[in-house]
Amino acid sequence: CHPVPKPESRVEVCDLNPCPPRWKVTPAGPCSSSCGLGLAVQKVTCVQVHHGQEVLQEEHLCPVAEKPLTSVPCVIRVCSYEWSFSEWSECSTSCGNGIQSRQDFCLSSLTHKPVNPLFCRRFPKAMVVRGCSAGPCPEQGGTVSPGAELQPATPATPLTTAAAAKEHRHKDMDVPAGSQEQTKPGGGEENRTKRWFLCVCGNLFLNATGIINMTGVESRDCTVAIGRPLREEISVTILESSLNCSAGEVLLFLGRMMWRTGCRNLPLSLINSRTNTLIVKQRVVLPGNGVILQYSSRTATKKYYQDCDQQLFGPQGEIVNPVQLPDQRQEVVCRTFLTVAPRQRISIRALNTDLGPEGNQTHFNYILVRDVSTMRTVVFRGKQQFLWQSTGSQAEIEFHE
């Protein structure tokens, strides 16, 4: 083409319409965990290019289905220690519903040998107890299990008088909901007392006041829970203690805003939960040792909850997102607290979710579910259907805008 004159280069405008808005992702921030799997937060914004410049736009102008996640998984390094587990045991019952358990171990990632569990205490641990079914039992005449639905906490009912306990002066024992078992005719006082002791551990007590005898239980580890309405707080007094401190026996009090352990000088000491739920864990080595505690509830001295919060107790029921007033939006996070008996675990299944801006008057954008025993949280967005299971007996649900 050298003999032919070369035409001049020129640029023609082909489309004056701006490009549609798109999502812009900034680099992720620091990882939430120094080792192992964590989460990093990244900023996601909706932008549109005008005359070569990015202009921030409303989020609804960008394709909602294509919005990147604001939290992404991250790993800085492999943890030096991690939880490991044995195989699940056989179902505890030959028919009907029972439980399976497994042993947990803290392993060194270098030697792959068990080490002291204290090395793993900062890492979340998967559940070691789960439900199982061994098939239907032959039909028998029985009683309907009490407490079939989740119910909000209500003001106290009069104390139930249980069977006489080992100490005569502590006759009036608080009976947990759903623990009144039938005794065989002719079993007498001894039969009723034995059955009551067997049902103390792992139960939830909802009365306003009561006495709980944790002595003489057959289990080395005994856990009870006390629950009251949100506006109340719980006080516990240790009436008697036969714990052997030198043998490692101990008592643990655990609430949403407090925890305390002790063994020495327990009698007549006063424990305040500061909230409406309290878990008491007792570990004994010698048979027959334990504590007798008395609890009561009163109106909380400080408000520890939002007006839109809810507290639910019970084995099953339905959870509906709380309703916020227009002037409360974007100011508070509405929560639902779930507490069941310590021997039980919680499963939450989303039957219907509509968290978009056109869903309902509360305009919640996502739900956060927290496992209180491990403080591990999971976020569910949009119309995502989900099934969530806890490792402990307490959970919190937060409804965020």
Side-chain angles (χ1 to χ4, degrees):
C1 295
H2 286 292
V4 181
K6 182 180 180 180
E8 295 183 359
S9 299
R10 61 181 181 179
V11 177
E12 293 183 356
V13 177
C14 57
D15 191 351
L16 296 178
N17 296 321
C19 294
R22 61 178 178 84
W23 294 109
K24 179 182 178 182
V25 180
T26 59
C31 192
S32 62
S33 177
S34 59
C35 72
L37 183 63
L39 287 177
V41 178
Q42 57 185 11
K43 187 176 181 180
V44 180
T45 54
C46 181
V47 298
Q48 189 175 27
V49 177
H50 281 283
H51 305 295
Q53 299 291 327
E54 289 184 343
V55 179
L56 192 65
Q57 301 289 340
E58 296 289 338
E59 286 199 355
H60 67 84
L61 298 177
C62 286
V64 177
E66 300 176 7
K67 182 178 181 180
L69 296 175
T70 56
S71 299
V72 293
C74 58
V75 177
I76 296 178
R77 61 182 176 86
V78 178
C79 294
S80 302
Y81 304 97
E82 60 183 359
W83 288 109
S84 181
F85 304 90
S86 65
E87 296 294 328
W88 288 102
S89 66
E90 294 183 359
C91 198
S92 61
T93 59
S94 58
C95 69
N97 296 327
I99 61 171
Q100 288 177 294
S101 62
R102 60 179 178 175
Q103 186 67 40
D104 55 83
F105 308 95
C106 182
L107 294 183
S108 169
S109 300
L110 299 177
T111 63
H112 298 287
K113 293 182 179 180
V115 296
N116 193 312
L118 291 177
F119 288 107
C120 291
R121 69 182 185 275
R122 295 185 178 180
F123 307 129
K125 181 170 62 174
M127 60 182 176
V128 294
V129 178
R130 70 180 182 183
C132 59
S133 177
C137 294
E139 288 192 16
Q140 296 179 353
T143 58
V144 178
S145 176
E149 298 205 353
L150 263 176
Q151 296 291 342
T154 54
T157 55
L159 273 177
T160 305
T161 303
K166 190 166 73 171
E167 297 292 338
H168 179 71
R169 60 183 173 278
H170 299 304
K171 273 188 176 181
D172 296 330
M173 298 294 174
D174 191 16
V175 179
S179 67
Q180 296 90 339
E181 299 187 30
Q182 299 293 329
T183 56
K184 295 181 180 179
E189 196 77 9
E190 180 181 355
N191 186 16
R192 291 194 299 272
T193 301
K194 181 178 180 181
R195 285 181 176 271
W196 188 85
F197 277 126
L198 290 176
C199 74
V200 169
C201 301
N203 273 290
L204 172 65
F205 296 83
L206 299 178
N207 285 344
T209 60
I211 296 175
I212 304 176
N213 190 339
M214 301 174 72
T215 63
V217 295
E218 295 184 354
S219 175
R220 178 179 177 182
D221 294 308
C222 182
T223 303
V224 299
I226 305 169
R228 296 298 301 145
L230 274 177
R231 64 180 179 274
E232 298 184 12
E233 62 184 14
I234 302 165
S235 297
V236 176
T237 302
I238 310 301
L239 300 179
E240 288 190 14
S241 173
S242 57
L243 297 181
N244 188 331
C245 304
S246 59
E249 297 182 340
V250 70
L251 197 65
L252 167 66
F253 297 92
L254 185 63
R256 286 202 299 270
M257 299 175 61
M258 59 80 67
W259 69 272
R260 177 177 172 182
T261 61
C263 179
R264 304 184 188 280
N265 304 319
L266 281 178
L268 301 183
S269 60
L270 181 64
I271 311 295
N272 188 282
S273 68
R274 298 168 60 189
T275 60
N276 65 310
T277 57
L278 182 66
I279 293 178
V280 183
K281 297 184 178 182
Q282 172 185 276
R283 166 160 289 190
V284 298
V285 176
L286 304 177
N289 288 357
V291 299
I292 300 175
L293 57 88
Q294 182 177 30
Y295 72 90
S296 61
S297 61
R298 65 180 182 183
T299 302
T301 55
K302 293 184 178 180
K303 187 177 180 180
Y304 52 86
Y305 59 92
Q306 305 291 347
D307 291 333
C308 59
D309 289 349
Q310 301 179 61
Q311 170 71 67
L312 299 176
F313 300 103
Q316 61 182 349
E318 187 175 274
I319 303 168
V320 180
N321 61 286
V323 177
Q324 281 185 279
L325 299 176
D327 58 350
Q328 289 179 322
R329 294 177 186 169
Q330 298 180 346
E331 295 181 2
V332 298
V333 175
C334 294
R335 300 167 296 177
T336 296
F337 302 102
L338 304 178
T339 303
V340 298
R343 69 174 183 272
Q344 299 174 333
R345 296 297 177 261
I346 301 170
S347 293
I348 302 175
R349 184 188 302 275
L351 301 179
N352 179 45
T353 56
D354 189 356
L355 303 178
E358 299 179 358
N360 54 45
Q361 59 179 332
T362 54
H363 301 292
F364 291 111
N365 290 327
Y366 66 91
I367 297 173
L368 185 148
V369 183
R370 178 180 295 109
D371 191 330
V372 175
S373 63
T374 62
M375 297 307 294
R376 198 169 191 173
T377 58
V378 181
V379 175
F380 301 99
R381 301 177 180 274
K383 297 185 179 182
Q384 179 181 2
Q385 302 295 308
F386 63 86
L387 173 62
W388 180 90
Q389 295 178 316
S390 71
T391 60
S393 59
Q394 291 183 297
E396 298 178 5
I397 306 176
E398 294 182 0
F399 298 86
H400 287 261
E401 291 193 10

